[in-house]
Amino acid sequence: MAELRRTVITKLDLPEGADESLSGTIDQFKHCTNTASEWCWHGDDGYHVTSKAKAERALYADLKADTDLTANLVQKGIRRAVEAVKSGVERLKDGERTSRPTFRKPSVVYDKRSATFNEHHATLSTVDGRIRVDYVLPGDPEGTPHGRYLLNDDYEPRMATLQYDADADEWFLHISLRNYDGDGEPESDSSTEHTTVLGVDLGIDTIAATSTGKMWSGGYLNHRREQYEQVRGSLQQRGTQSAHRTIESIGKRETRWADDYLHCISKALVQEADAYDCDAIAFEELTHIRDRMPGAKKFHAWAFRRLYEYTEYKTEEYGIDVVQINPAYTSQRCSKCGTTLEKNRPNGDHRFECQKCGYAVHADYNASKNIAMKHVRRRQKSIGGRPRVNVALKSGTLNANGRYSSTVA
């Protein structure tokens, strides 16, 4: 049975006085996340803390006493901070400059212990107790994400993120649902509504690059693979039974270390998406990837698919969707001005330089932003341009109209 995951964004109709309760809940939830982030970043002995259990043991009692939040929401706040700190620590290990994660976005994470999800309404834990919030549904929900998933008994709500849009003065609930289809095959058409997308470009030298500027080298995989091929070739020349057994043994070891490396990258991708409050991770399409990528071998195609599958599996806990996007022209298009020219990638090297606006950046980073933007435009077209869908960047977001919003205070 294949598990299908969908996220539906639903506008809320609040009862009188609920604004204050939800705003207070958000403020106290942010207090938990920022307090936990500060403690984890500096630690109790000068080291970063990336253990959820350790952070909860140290912080839970005080935060529970300091707030009116339920135990579950306090724990959620601590865990969100820990994941963000983990992502920051990985950046430091890679030699990047980064600072302590700070949470400013007005949002709260709910699961089935702190919320109940019904067909037309939800009840949410707040600083003033449980309140009922009604969904604002389309007049004719048939064919809409609400009708296909939220009102569909085959889909089960698992968790949700409450978000406040200050510009519109409106509240939204991002409800994550899951379903197992009868054929074991995922639906080909996704009508999930996302707000922020993390783009991922795949490659040989840089196995993965994100729209937030995070990159993982493929050199380790390539070097180990070359070593294995040399040893295997030498053993094949011997042609003995012992040599054949050795080839099998080395092959199993190769798969294990490659799997471990890909697991680490997929975990970091999910943490990156969660740290940037992304609702989706957009990979470049894997079909015929060897034909599109000069120098790619069967091993690389296997590694890309493994990375995608591991990432998809790990996002379940976070309610993040994982999709594939046609990467046509993403390597030649300027993510800043939109100019698409072959000359933007001279000699196919790692440098991208736009011949029109002069924008120069790492080619894989540029491509990852274009992959995310393709998903943004596709989503906005399918949902009539609402709600806003953005690309997650290093220090902000970019929408389909090219408007940049900074997340740095």
PDB file of all heavy atoms in Angstrom, residues 99 108 113-114 189 280 300 354 370:
ATOM      1  N   SER A  99      23.956  31.964  12.333  1.00  0.00           N
ATOM      2  CA  SER A  99      23.693  32.429  13.693  1.00  0.00           C
ATOM      3  C   SER A  99      22.574  31.605  14.306  1.00  0.00           C
ATOM      4  O   SER A  99      21.952  30.772  13.644  1.00  0.00           O
ATOM      5  CB  SER A  99      23.313  33.912  13.685  1.00  0.00           C
ATOM      6  OG  SER A  99      22.174  34.132  12.862  1.00  0.00           O
ATOM      7  N   VAL A 108       1.877  28.034  14.858  1.00  0.00           N
ATOM      8  CA  VAL A 108       1.875  27.023  15.914  1.00  0.00           C
ATOM      9  C   VAL A 108       1.667  25.663  15.259  1.00  0.00           C
ATOM     10  O   VAL A 108       0.850  25.531  14.341  1.00  0.00           O
ATOM     11  CB  VAL A 108       0.749  27.267  16.947  1.00  0.00           C
ATOM     12  CG1 VAL A 108       0.760  26.182  18.013  1.00  0.00           C
ATOM     13  CG2 VAL A 108       0.893  28.627  17.599  1.00  0.00           C
ATOM     14  N   ARG A 113      -3.024  15.330  19.428  1.00  0.00           N
ATOM     15  CA  ARG A 113      -3.169  15.455  20.877  1.00  0.00           C
ATOM     16  C   ARG A 113      -3.562  16.871  21.284  1.00  0.00           C
ATOM     17  O   ARG A 113      -4.156  17.063  22.344  1.00  0.00           O
ATOM     18  CB  ARG A 113      -1.860  15.054  21.569  1.00  0.00           C
ATOM     19  CG  ARG A 113      -1.556  13.562  21.506  1.00  0.00           C
ATOM     20  CD  ARG A 113      -0.214  13.258  22.120  1.00  0.00           C
ATOM     21  NE  ARG A 113       0.870  13.851  21.342  1.00  0.00           N
ATOM     22  CZ  ARG A 113       2.145  13.859  21.724  1.00  0.00           C
ATOM     23  NH1 ARG A 113       2.482  13.323  22.878  1.00  0.00           N
ATOM     24  NH2 ARG A 113       3.068  14.398  20.954  1.00  0.00           N
ATOM     25  N   SER A 114      -3.215  17.834  20.461  1.00  0.00           N
ATOM     26  CA  SER A 114      -3.526  19.230  20.798  1.00  0.00           C
ATOM     27  C   SER A 114      -4.626  19.803  19.915  1.00  0.00           C
ATOM     28  O   SER A 114      -4.991  20.970  20.054  1.00  0.00           O
ATOM     29  CB  SER A 114      -2.271  20.096  20.696  1.00  0.00           C
ATOM     30  OG  SER A 114      -1.641  19.931  19.443  1.00  0.00           O
ATOM     31  N   ASP A 189      -1.692  13.323 -10.103  1.00  0.00           N
ATOM     32  CA  ASP A 189      -1.991  14.749 -10.033  1.00  0.00           C
ATOM     33  C   ASP A 189      -2.078  15.201  -8.591  1.00  0.00           C
ATOM     34  O   ASP A 189      -2.891  14.716  -7.834  1.00  0.00           O
ATOM     35  CB  ASP A 189      -3.332  15.040 -10.729  1.00  0.00           C
ATOM     36  CG  ASP A 189      -3.716  16.508 -10.561  1.00  0.00           C
ATOM     37  OD1 ASP A 189      -2.847  17.363 -10.732  1.00  0.00           O
ATOM     38  OD2 ASP A 189      -4.893  16.773 -10.261  1.00  0.00           O
ATOM     39  N   ALA A 280       6.705  22.107   1.154  1.00  0.00           N
ATOM     40  CA  ALA A 280       7.027  21.185   0.066  1.00  0.00           C
ATOM     41  C   ALA A 280       8.516  21.236  -0.239  1.00  0.00           C
ATOM     42  O   ALA A 280       9.171  22.259  -0.071  1.00  0.00           O
ATOM     43  CB  ALA A 280       6.225  21.521  -1.190  1.00  0.00           C
ATOM     44  N   HIS A 300      24.670   6.814 -10.253  1.00  0.00           N
ATOM     45  CA  HIS A 300      24.146   8.132  -9.891  1.00  0.00           C
ATOM     46  C   HIS A 300      22.616   8.145  -9.921  1.00  0.00           C
ATOM     47  O   HIS A 300      21.967   8.722  -9.040  1.00  0.00           O
ATOM     48  CB  HIS A 300      24.701   9.199 -10.833  1.00  0.00           C
ATOM     49  CG  HIS A 300      26.183   9.395 -10.689  1.00  0.00           C
ATOM     50  ND1 HIS A 300      27.078   8.935 -11.624  1.00  0.00           N
ATOM     51  CD2 HIS A 300      26.916   9.986  -9.712  1.00  0.00           C
ATOM     52  CE1 HIS A 300      28.305   9.247 -11.243  1.00  0.00           C
ATOM     53  NE2 HIS A 300      28.241   9.878 -10.085  1.00  0.00           N
ATOM     54  N   CYS A 354      24.614  35.336 -15.856  1.00  0.00           N
ATOM     55  CA  CYS A 354      23.585  35.805 -16.776  1.00  0.00           C
ATOM     56  C   CYS A 354      24.167  36.826 -17.741  1.00  0.00           C
ATOM     57  O   CYS A 354      24.796  37.815 -17.328  1.00  0.00           O
ATOM     58  CB  CYS A 354      22.429  36.424 -15.989  1.00  0.00           C
ATOM     59  SG  CYS A 354      21.084  37.026 -17.036  1.00  0.00           S
ATOM     60  N   ASN A 370      15.367  27.828  -9.589  1.00  0.00           N
ATOM     61  CA  ASN A 370      14.470  27.717 -10.738  1.00  0.00           C
ATOM     62  C   ASN A 370      13.523  26.526 -10.603  1.00  0.00           C
ATOM     63  O   ASN A 370      12.364  26.587 -11.018  1.00  0.00           O
ATOM     64  CB  ASN A 370      15.284  27.589 -12.025  1.00  0.00           C
ATOM     65  CG  ASN A 370      15.909  28.902 -12.455  1.00  0.00           C
ATOM     66  OD1 ASN A 370      15.340  29.968 -12.224  1.00  0.00           O
ATOM     67  ND2 ASN A 370      17.076  28.833 -13.068  1.00  0.00           N
TER      68      ASN A 370
END
